[in-house]
Amino acid sequence: MTADIDSERPDERPDSRQDGRQDGRQDHGPGTRDHGGFEVFRDGRGIPHLRAGTALGLARAQGHNAALDRAWQLETERHRVLGTTAAYLGAEAVDWDRFARRARLADTARHCFDRLAPETAAWVGAYVDGVNEGLAEGASRAPEFAAAGLAPGRWEPWTPLGVWLSTHILFAGFPTKLWREEVARRLGDDRAALFATDGPGTSGSNGWLLTGDRTTTGAPVVAGDPHRFIEDPGVYQQIRLACPEFDVVGLAVPGVPGIAHFGHTGGVAWAITNAMADYQDLYREQVRRTADGGVEALGPDGWYRVHAHTETVEVAGGEPETVEVVETDRGPVIIGDVHGDPKTDAAPDAPVISLRYPPRVTGDLGFDVLPALLRARTVADLDTALDGWAEPVNVVLAADTTGATLHRVAGHVPVRPYENRLRVVPAHDPAYAWREGGEPLPRTEVDTATGIAVMANERGLAAPLGIEFAPPHRADRIRELLGTAPGAAASGTTGVRTVTGPPWSAADMTAVHTDTRLASSRQLLSLLAWAPDLSPDAERLRDRLLRWDRHMDADSTDATLYARLRADVVHRLAGHPALRPVTGDADPWRSTAYPPLFRPWLAAVPRIGYALESLLTLGLLPYEDRLAMVAASAEAVAATHAEGPGPSAWGEVHRVSPWQALPDATPEEVWPGLAGDHDCVLSTSSVPGITDLFARGPAARYVWDLARREDSLWVVPFGASGVPGSAHHRDQTELWASGRPAPVVTDWNLLHRTEHVTEHVTEHRTELRTEETTTMTTTPEPTASTVPALRPAVHEQKVEGFGVVRLVPVVPAADAGLLHAWVTEERARFWGMADHTREQVREIYEFVDSLATHHAYLALRDGVPAALFQTYEPDADPVGEHYDVQPGDLGIHLLIAPAEGTVKGYTDALLTAFIGYVFSDPAHLRVVVEPDARNEKALARMVRVGFELGPEIEKPEKTARLAFLPRAALGLA
C-alpha cells in the first residue's frame, strides 16, 4: 500500500474509533465560525498583549498574532510534524523527516484531536483559524520563505497537537536506551548505567518558589528558566491573553494555543521543569516479509500481520526517498528495515526497534488541560487541571495570592516492568507489556521551615519515575543561594560572593538566575591538586586553578583554562583501554545500525564529557591512573599556553550557537558569549571535549510576583518578533546575555494598540476589518513589492567576513511598518522621526519616492533588512544652502537597524558597501554627510572611514556637522 502523508487515513490504526466525528466538528476551516474581533496591543519591546470579547475570539487572535510574528517558525514546525522539511531544506533534513513519518507523529496528532472535548476542539480550531488568516501576510514579512523557495501552507485543526508532539517526542530521551544497550553489550551489563547523567538529548530547567515568609512583600514568588535547545526564533513567546473570563501573562509555544508551561493569571502562577521521567519504551521486534509483500511481526501469540505502507520524502536538490512505515502492536518501527525471505523466520542482523509512546496508545496529549490553566484562579484550580496533564511529564511549582503552594509531578507514566526503563526489551515477551493505568504521581508540601522549594531535574520528587537525572549541583546551589542569611555571602570554593536576600524581592532573583559556580569541577581539581611530578609550567597552571573561585564568569580566563584542562582529560579518558570498546573506531556513533538522527545520544566523547565527574570518582580506573591522566593533561595544557598567548576570556569562546531551520543564515560572530556552564545555575551547556559553543541554555527567564503582577519579570534570548529586520527581532539579546530581565507591563494605558480586527461572517467567507486597512477576504502571496529580498537590487557587494549586501528600493506601502519601528526607537532619535506615526513615515517615504533627486534603499545583509540608506543631490536639498556644493557631490543618510553592535565592525562593513555603490558611478566625486553634531559615535566612525570633518550647520531640526569623503581619498580614478 502506498500513501502520501496528507492522505493517510487516521482510522488505519487497528484501535482507532470509527465514530465518524459525530461531535459536530466536521469543518474547522477559516471563516466557518464567528469568533468575534480582537485587539492587539504591544509594549515597548513589541510583546503582544491580546484582548478579545470571548475565549474563542482570543484563541483566534493568538493564532493570528503567531502567524504574523512567527510565520517562518510556524511553517517549519508544521513541516516537521508532516515530515516534509527536506522538500525545502534539502538532504540534511531527511533524517528527521524519516523519523516523523515512521513514528507517525501526524497520525497520532489527528487521533488526539479526535478525542478532545468538543469545547477544547473548538478552542484549538479557533486558534488554527487565526493562523490561516494571518499566515500569508506573515510570510510576506519573513525573508526566509523567499530564501527557501517556500510558500505558506494550510494548517489543519490537529496541527497544534502535532507541533506539541514533535517538540516533545525526544524529551524523555528514549535514544539513551540505545546507548545503554551498546555499553552493556560492549562493557558488560554492570556498566550499563556507567555514564548516567543528564545527557545531550534531554532538557533541563531551573525552578524555585519562595513563600511569603521569604519575600519582601509577604507574597510568594515563583521563578526559574527552562534550559532547552536555543532556537532562532525562540521556542517561547512572551504574550498576554485577556478576555472577560481570564487575563494571563506567560510564555507560549508558537503554534500551540494558550500558555502551558509558565504563566501568571493574576491569582495563581505556575512553572515547570522536566521531571526526567521515563515513559517511552523501545521494543526489539522480529519481523518478516510475507509472500504478498506485506509484513508480519512476532508477538506473544506468534506471527501476526502488521500495518505497513510506504511514503515518499521529497528532497530539495536530490532524489526522493521512499520510507516504509511499519507499526506493530507495540508501536511504530523507528529503527531498522524489514528484510528477509518470506519463506524463512530468520531475523536480519540489524535490529528492528519499535517505539511505544503514551499519546500513540492513549490518544491523549493533555490538551484539554490548556484552557483550564488559563481559567485557574487558585492553586486548587491549577492542581485539578493538572490531573489531566499528559505529555511531557513535568515537575510543577505553583503559588497563589492567598499564599497556597503546590509542588507535584504532572503527566502520564505507564505501568510496566522496571527493565523497560533501562534497555531495549523483546517485543514478543508478554512480561514487558504495558499494564492498565499510570504510575502514581509524587507530590510534596513546600517546606514551611525554609519557605523554599526547588526543582532542577535532580533525583528528587520524580525519582520513582526515572532512571537518569541531572547532577544535584544546580538544585543544591539554588537552595544555598536562597537560604543565605541577610547581608551574608554565598560560599564559593575559595572565595565568597555577596547576595541580597532574604527577604527576597522579585528583582533579586537575577542573582540566582545568573550564578556561575561550577560545583562539578571539584573532583577534577582535587585530582589536579595531587597530580605527581609536574613540570614548573604545569605547577603554575595547577596553582592558578586551585586559586580559581570556580565560577564560569564570562570575563574569566581561569574558567577557559579549566575548560581546556577538562577537554583534554575527556579525550584521554576516551583513549583509555578501559573505554576502548565504546570509543574510537568502536564508537557507537559510527554504527550504521541506527539512524543518524540518534547519533547525539550514541557519541562516546560527549557522554564521557557530561559524566566526567562520575568517571573520575567511580572505580572504573585505578586512582593512580586517574592521577596520571590529569597530570598528563595539565602538562599538555600548560605547554600550549607557555608557547603561545594565554587563554581567552570564557565569554569570548563560550558563545551561543542556536538552531536555525536555514543553517548559516547568520554568521557565528553575531551570537553573544555568555557566562555559565552545564552544571551551573546559569546552565549554558557546551559539550566538554567537543566544543565550547553552547546550543542549550536558558530559553527564557521568568519571575512571577504574586503580590503585584506588574513587578514580574521576563526575558527571551532574542526578541518578541521572529521577523528578521524587525525592531524587536534581537532587542532582548543583550538583556538575556547579561542576565537582566524586562518588566512585565500589565497596565493597558502603557501599551500601544497596533491592530483592531473586527469580523463579519457571511455564508462563504470571513471578512477581516482593521482600523488601518480596508476589508480583506484574502492576503496576497509574497511578491517583490511586499518582500524586500525578492526585489531587484541596484547594487550587490560581498563584504568579506560579513556577507552579501544588496541595496533594494524602499516600497513605502510595504516597508512602512519596518521603517516606523526603526526610526521611532530611542537609539534613532537623531533621525528626527521619534514621534511619527506609521502613516506619517509612509507619507514621508512616498514623497521621497516621488523625487528624482532623492532615493531611499533598504540594505539587505544576506537577504535580511539591515539598514536604511538614502541618497540625495545636495543642490536639490536644504543642506545645499549651508555649504558650497561642488559638481559630483552626493549626500547620503544612513540608519542602521537595531541589530547594530552584535557584530564587531557591523556599520563599517555596511559603509563599505554603501560607498562602493556611490562611487560605482564615475560622476560621483564626493560623498557628503551631515550627522547630528551631538552624535559623537557617528562622527568618529566617519573619521575612521576617511571622511574629513567640515563646519557645523544649523538646520531646522538639528545642529549638524558636515563631513566629506572625496573619491580621490580612496585612490579611485
Side-chain angles (χ1 to χ4, degrees):
M1 167 181 161
T2 302
D4 182 83
I5 187 68
D6 288 321
S7 62
E8 180 188 338
R9 292 178 56 82
D11 60 5
E12 286 178 345
R13 278 184 62 202
D15 61 346
S16 176
R17 297 187 317 175
Q18 306 290 322
D19 59 21
R21 302 280 295 278
Q22 297 301 310
D23 55 11
R25 292 182 275 120
Q26 286 82 7
D27 189 354
H28 292 274
T32 59
R33 292 176 299 276
D34 186 356
H35 303 311
F38 58 84
E39 297 174 289
V40 180
F41 295 78
R42 296 186 187 269
D43 63 15
R45 297 196 176 275
I47 295 170
H49 295 243
L50 311 180
R51 191 163 66 184
T54 67
L56 291 182
L58 188 59
R60 171 172 164 253
Q62 187 182 7
H64 188 266
N65 171 260
L68 295 185
D69 285 3
R70 304 291 186 98
W72 173 250
Q73 182 179 20
L74 260 60
E75 279 298 85
T76 296
E77 293 299 336
R78 184 179 68 86
H79 281 281
R80 281 174 61 82
V81 174
L82 295 173
T84 54
T85 57
Y88 63 98
L89 296 179
E92 290 186 358
V94 167
D95 294 332
W96 171 265
D97 285 356
R98 291 180 65 89
F99 169 73
R101 305 289 189 102
R102 300 186 76 179
R104 308 199 73 184
L105 299 186
D107 185 61
T108 302
R110 292 186 187 102
H111 280 284
C112 292
F113 181 83
D114 287 344
R115 286 162 172 75
L116 289 179
E119 58 273 19
T120 306
W123 179 71
V124 175
Y127 180 90
V128 170
D129 286 347
V131 170
N132 284 326
E133 289 162 359
L135 199 53
E137 181 181 351
S140 73
R141 302 177 181 181
E144 297 96 335
F145 284 89
L150 182 69
R154 176 182 172 79
W155 279 49
E156 299 296 334
W158 51 265
T159 302
L161 285 78
V163 171
W164 187 259
L165 178 59
S166 68
T167 299
H168 295 103
I169 188 67
L170 297 176
F171 250 48
F174 68 79
T176 297
K177 297 178 183 182
L178 303 175
W179 167 256
R180 292 196 206 107
E181 195 75 13
E182 293 298 321
V183 171
R185 184 169 64 85
R186 299 159 187 243
L187 298 178
D189 288 344
D190 59 331
R191 299 295 193 187
L194 181 63
F195 302 86
T197 186
D198 181 20
T202 57
S203 296
S205 303
N206 298 319
W208 60 91
L209 181 152
L210 294 168
T211 65
D213 293 336
R214 305 286 292 180
T215 68
T216 56
T217 63
V221 168
V222 178
D225 49 357
H227 302 151
R228 301 175 66 138
F229 283 103
I230 304 298
E231 299 181 14
D232 177 32
V235 69
Y236 286 115
Q237 179 193 29
Q238 299 147 301
I239 201 166
R240 182 183 188 179
L241 304 174
C243 67
E245 292 183 70
F246 50 80
D247 183 341
V248 187
V249 297
L251 301 170
V253 175
V256 178
I259 295 171
H261 285 161
F262 312 97
H264 193 327
T265 72
V268 62
W270 71 94
I272 61 93
T273 59
N274 187 348
M276 309 298 286
D278 185 278
Y279 51 90
Q280 302 164 331
D281 286 348
L282 295 178
Y283 287 89
R284 186 179 297 102
E285 300 279 0
Q286 295 183 49
V287 295
R288 66 186 182 187
R289 187 76 63 188
T290 62
D292 63 356
V295 178
E296 291 182 338
L298 182 63
D301 300 319
W303 292 94
Y304 66 99
R305 186 97 172 187
V306 302
H307 171 93
H309 71 270
T310 60
E311 297 180 8
T312 301
V313 175
E314 300 293 336
V315 183
E319 294 297 318
E321 295 198 13
T322 298
V323 178
E324 184 173 32
V325 178
V326 176
E327 184 166 15
T328 73
D329 285 352
R330 266 70 57 189
V333 171
I334 60 167
I335 296 172
D337 297 310
V338 181
H339 299 292
D341 187 325
K343 299 179 181 179
T344 178
D345 293 350
D349 293 334
V352 175
I353 296 174
S354 61
L355 170 66
R356 190 168 182 82
Y357 58 102
R360 188 70 187 158
V361 177
T362 65
D364 184 16
L365 272 169
F367 260 50
D368 287 321
V369 172
L370 300 183
L373 293 179
L374 299 176
R375 294 182 171 92
R377 294 292 180 270
T378 65
V379 157
D381 295 340
L382 193 81
D383 194 17
T384 299
L386 290 172
D387 286 341
W389 188 268
E391 174 102 1
V393 180
N394 294 323
V395 177
V396 182
L397 284 174
D400 64 26
T401 53
T402 71
T405 59
L406 177 68
H407 191 184
R408 63 165 291 179
V409 176
H412 179 75
V413 179
V415 178
R416 78 277 203 217
Y418 182 77
E419 289 81 358
N420 290 43
R421 301 183 188 180
L422 289 171
R423 303 268 293 274
V424 182
V425 295
H428 67 276
D429 191 336
Y432 300 102
W434 287 13
R435 282 48 160 176
E436 290 294 325
E439 294 283 1
L441 300 176
R443 61 171 62 227
T444 188
E445 298 294 327
V446 175
D447 188 345
T448 55
T450 65
I452 297 170
V454 177
M455 52 181 184
N457 320 114
E458 77 281 18
R459 190 179 297 275
L461 184 64
L465 305 176
I467 296 293
E468 297 192 14
F469 295 84
H473 305 306
R474 286 186 284 116
D476 290 346
R477 180 60 173 170
I478 293 169
R479 291 188 184 96
E480 179 185 1
L481 290 168
L482 295 177
T484 304
S491 65
T493 303
T494 59
V496 295
R497 297 191 173 200
T498 302
V499 294
T500 56
W504 295 86
S505 69
D508 293 332
M509 295 297 98
T510 297
V512 182
H513 276 127
T514 58
D515 186 78
T516 60
R517 183 184 173 193
L518 186 66
S520 61
S521 63
R522 180 190 60 82
Q523 185 61 21
L524 175 53
L525 294 178
S526 177
L527 290 169
L528 178 64
W530 293 99
D533 304 323
L534 295 180
S535 67
D537 285 341
E539 285 184 347
R540 282 189 289 273
L541 179 144
R542 176 191 63 191
D543 294 343
R544 178 176 174 179
L545 285 179
L546 293 181
R547 291 192 301 269
W548 173 46
D549 66 2
R550 304 190 188 181
H551 283 265
M552 301 295 284
D553 292 334
D555 60 356
S556 171
T557 55
D558 289 345
T560 307
L561 198 62
Y562 171 79
R564 297 286 176 270
L565 178 68
R566 178 177 62 184
D568 195 89
V569 171
V570 166
H571 284 284
R572 291 179 190 275
L573 260 176
H576 194 279
L579 292 179
R580 199 161 291 159
V582 293
T583 60
D585 291 340
D587 194 326
W589 180 86
R590 300 177 184 275
S591 173
T592 59
Y594 304 115
L597 182 69
F598 301 134
R599 285 178 178 170
W601 288 266
L602 292 166
V605 172
R607 286 283 180 183
I608 293 170
Y610 284 124
L612 182 63
E613 182 183 17
S614 298
L615 294 174
L616 292 178
T617 304
L618 301 174
L620 173 68
L621 305 182
Y623 180 67
E624 292 74 15
D625 284 9
R626 285 176 267 159
L627 281 178
M629 185 179 300
V630 173
S633 292
E635 295 287 359
V637 174
T640 298
H641 292 294
E643 299 170 0
S648 302
W650 181 232
E652 294 180 16
V653 296
H654 187 60
R655 308 179 80 85
V656 64
S657 179
W659 181 86
Q660 296 174 298
L662 287 178
D664 304 321
T666 308
E668 177 183 312
E669 63 266 24
V670 77
W671 305 116
L674 265 70
D677 198 45
H678 187 70
D679 290 323
C680 299
V681 177
L682 179 51
S683 183
T684 48
S685 299
S686 57
V687 186
I690 300 295
T691 180
D692 291 328
L693 301 175
F694 69 94
R696 283 176 52 195
R701 296 190 186 98
Y702 59 89
V703 182
W704 303 141
D705 192 329
L706 272 301
R708 286 168 43 90
R709 190 168 68 164
E710 58 267 36
D711 289 338
S712 298
L713 302 161
W714 55 8
V715 71
V716 293
F718 304 123
S721 174
V723 180
S726 162
H728 305 297
H729 187 224
R730 292 280 188 266
D731 64 339
Q732 295 187 53
T733 299
E734 196 277 330
L735 290 179
W736 174 76
S738 62
R740 294 179 293 126
V744 175
V745 179
T746 58
D747 185 346
W748 294 99
N749 294 318
L750 300 178
L751 306 171
H752 54 280
R753 190 171 72 178
T754 60
E755 193 174 5
H756 182 200
V757 179
T758 59
E759 181 180 66
H760 173 68
V761 179
T762 68
E763 183 178 358
H764 300 293
R765 68 173 186 260
T766 299
E767 295 178 344
L768 303 180
R769 297 191 174 107
T770 72
E771 291 184 343
E772 295 80 11
T773 62
T774 58
T775 300
M776 300 179 294
T777 56
T778 61
T779 305
E781 293 293 321
T783 65
S785 64
T786 59
V787 181
L790 298 181
R791 298 173 196 161
V794 299
H795 180 71
E796 182 171 317
Q797 182 174 340
K798 182 176 182 179
V799 180
E800 195 64 35
F802 182 76
V804 176
V805 178
R806 299 175 68 244
L807 299 182
V808 301
V810 165
V811 178
D815 300 334
L818 174 66
L819 298 180
H820 178 259
W822 288 359
V823 302
T824 55
E825 280 209 336
E826 170 60 23
R827 59 182 295 282
R829 62 188 182 279
F830 299 116
W831 203 253
M833 297 187 190
D835 58 350
H836 283 44
T837 66
R838 174 175 171 162
E839 181 65 20
Q840 288 172 322
V841 171
R842 181 182 65 79
E843 290 175 352
I844 288 172
Y845 284 97
E846 285 178 343
F847 174 71
V848 170
D849 193 44
S850 70
L851 302 175
T853 55
H854 292 62
H855 303 283
Y857 305 98
L858 283 177
L860 309 181
R861 178 196 182 203
D862 294 330
V864 178
L868 172 62
F869 178 60
Q870 296 177 211
T871 64
Y872 63 91
E873 296 178 15
D875 57 3
D877 190 271
V879 73
E881 301 172 4
H882 297 278
Y883 84 102
D884 184 16
V885 177
Q886 301 296 313
D889 280 359
L890 187 73
I892 67 172
H893 297 300
L894 171 62
L895 177 63
I896 304 296
E900 180 184 11
T902 58
V903 177
K904 186 177 181 180
Y906 190 95
T907 302
D908 289 349
L910 286 172
L911 274 172
T912 298
F914 299 153
I915 292 170
Y917 167 59
V918 171
F919 288 136
S920 66
D921 185 344
H924 296 152
L925 303 179
R926 189 169 64 161
V927 174
V928 180
V929 296
E930 29 96 15
D932 193 300
R934 298 168 296 168
N935 194 342
E936 296 177 358
K937 183 177 179 181
L939 292 171
R941 182 182 297 117
M942 296 303 174
V943 171
R944 185 169 65 246
V945 172
F947 280 80
E948 301 168 356
L949 295 181
E952 290 189 359
I953 61 174
E954 293 296 331
K955 298 184 67 180
E957 72 278 10
K958 65 180 180 181
T959 299
R961 182 75 179 268
L962 290 172
F964 306 93
L965 178 65
R967 184 186 189 90
L970 301 179
L972 300 175

